[in-house]
Amino acid sequence: MKKRETNGLSIIDRRKVLRVLAAGSTLAVPGWALGKNSLWMPQEELAVTPQQTEGPFYPDPTIEQQLFSDNDLSQKLGNHEYARGQQCMINGVIRNRRGEPVEGSVVEIWQACASGRYNHSRDNDNRMLLDNNFQFWGRVVTGEDGAYSFKTIIPGKYPGRTARHIHYRVDADGYRRCSTQCYFSDFGEDNMRDDIYTSLNRQAREQVTIEFDKPAGAEAGGVEESNTGQDAREREESRLHNDDDPRGRRQIEQGDDQQRAEPVVWTGNFDVILANG
C-alpha cells in the first residue's frame, strides 16, 4: 500500500516534522514574528497603577459644584494672581492594560497649596497659610487619545506626610475606579520617609513617581517649605488674623509683585493604567 503524499511529504514524514517543532524548535522563533494576536505567545499586559488612599480631603463639596475646577490650578482666572509655589505641567495618558487609550475617562486631582494646606472643611490646621489664589482641584475628560494635562504647583508638606503628593481619581466605563497619588523624584529623601509611599514595592513606586524636565538652572530648592515651623512672630500674626476670620483661616494676600512675574514651569509625565471592571 502506498503512502499518500501531500506537497512532496508523506503523512508520516509530516508527523515527524510536527513532533520536532513541538519539541522546542519554535523557541527559536522571535516573538515579533508570531504576530500581535498570535495564540502561541500571550501579549504582556501593563501593570495597573497602584491604588492609594484618597485621604480625608477629597473636594468638599464635589468637584462639579466648585466655582473653579478646570485643568489650570495655578490661577483661578487668566488675569488672576498666580498661586505661590513652583509651577509644573503634568501630562499623561489613561490606558488599559493592553496599552490602549481610554476615551471618556474622568480625571480628577486635588492637593495642598505650597504651604501644605488643603482648602477643605476638615483641614483646620491654622498654623499653615491658605493660598486663596490656588484652585486646589481640577477635572478633565479624555478624548480619543486618552490624554490629559494639568497645570499646577508642587504641593507643600503637611503634618503626618513627608512626601509631597497629588491625589488622583480616574473613572471610566468598563474599568475599576483608580484612586492613587503621584510623587516627585526631586524629593526622594522625603518620599522614603513617608509611610504611604514606602508601603509600595519598588516597581509600584516607580509607576507613581514623576521625574520633571526643567529649564536650565531650575532646581527643587525654589520650592516653598510648609509653614509648620513658623517663628513666634508669625504664629502670633496668624492668631490675630484668624480672630477676624470666621472660617479660622489665614489667607495669602494678593498683590505680591513676585506673583505677577511669568513663572518657570517644570514638565512631567504621569500615565494611569486602569484595571478592567
Side-chain angles (χ1 to χ4, degrees):
M1 178 176 179
K2 291 186 178 180
K3 300 174 184 177
R4 182 162 54 91
E5 296 188 1
T6 305
N7 295 331
L9 285 176
S10 70
I11 292 177
I12 294 176
D13 291 335
R14 291 182 65 199
R15 287 174 179 169
K16 289 180 180 179
V17 171
L18 290 174
R19 281 199 297 270
V20 171
L21 290 175
S25 297
T26 53
L27 296 178
V29 180
W32 55 263
L34 295 176
K36 179 178 179 181
N37 299 313
S38 172
L39 297 177
W40 292 87
M41 183 177 291
Q43 291 295 297
E44 180 179 355
E45 292 189 326
L46 299 176
V48 173
T49 299
Q51 296 279 352
Q52 293 209 287
T53 176
E54 290 187 354
F57 302 131
Y58 179 76
D60 175 13
T62 54
I63 283 181
E64 61 265 20
Q65 295 176 277
Q66 305 297 331
L67 183 59
F68 302 102
S69 59
D70 61 6
N71 70 332
D72 187 352
L73 284 66
S74 67
Q75 57 182 169
K76 292 181 176 177
L77 295 171
N79 58 353
H80 199 276
E81 298 287 342
Y82 286 116
R84 292 179 183 267
Q86 173 59 56
Q87 290 197 13
C88 58
M89 183 72 74
I90 301 177
N91 306 306
V93 178
I94 311 301
R95 302 183 186 276
N96 60 27
R97 297 197 67 186
R98 295 186 300 274
E100 300 163 339
V102 180
E103 181 180 3
S105 299
V106 180
V107 186
E108 299 176 346
I109 68 169
W110 65 100
Q111 64 173 91
C113 61
S115 69
R117 187 79 178 272
Y118 283 85
N119 188 15
H120 193 281
S121 59
R122 297 182 65 179
D123 188 352
N124 53 12
D125 191 335
N126 296 321
R127 294 174 298 171
M128 295 178 289
L129 306 173
L130 183 72
D131 189 345
N132 197 41
N133 298 319
F134 186 55
Q135 187 170 286
F136 290 93
W137 43 68
R139 169 190 272 179
V140 296
V141 179
T142 63
E144 292 183 2
D145 59 359
Y148 77 88
S149 180
F150 287 104
K151 185 180 180 185
T152 184
I153 56 100
I154 302 293
K157 296 183 289 186
Y158 58 85
R161 295 294 303 273
T162 61
R164 303 168 192 269
H165 58 279
I166 296 175
H167 290 270
Y168 271 70
R169 189 159 91 174
V170 182
D171 287 293
D173 290 342
Y175 298 91
R176 297 178 192 172
R177 167 178 289 172
C178 178
S179 296
T180 192
Q181 300 173 32
C182 73
Y183 304 84
F184 316 104
S185 62
D186 291 274
F187 309 101
E189 292 184 4
D190 288 341
N191 294 344
M192 295 308 296
R193 290 195 295 267
D194 187 89
D195 290 341
I196 294 178
Y197 183 81
T198 55
S199 68
L200 301 171
N201 61 36
R202 181 174 180 178
Q203 178 185 355
R205 291 198 296 265
E206 290 176 353
Q207 283 182 266
V208 298
T209 304
I210 295 174
E211 184 171 350
F212 284 114
D213 291 326
K214 310 169 193 173
E219 298 297 337
V223 176
E224 292 189 27
E225 291 294 331
S226 61
N227 292 310
T228 54
Q230 291 172 313
D231 60 26
R233 180 185 61 78
E234 285 202 347
R235 286 197 299 269
E236 178 63 12
E237 179 187 355
S238 177
R239 185 187 67 79
L240 293 173
H241 186 100
N242 284 329
D243 285 345
D244 298 326
D245 186 345
R247 298 180 67 192
R249 299 181 176 205
R250 179 185 176 203
Q251 297 186 349
I252 295 174
E253 301 296 334
Q254 299 182 19
D256 187 341
D257 290 339
Q258 184 177 2
Q259 295 296 89
R260 294 192 177 95
E262 192 64 28
V264 174
V265 180
W266 297 356
T267 304
N269 187 83
F270 183 58
D271 290 348
V272 177
I273 311 302
L274 301 179
N276 292 332

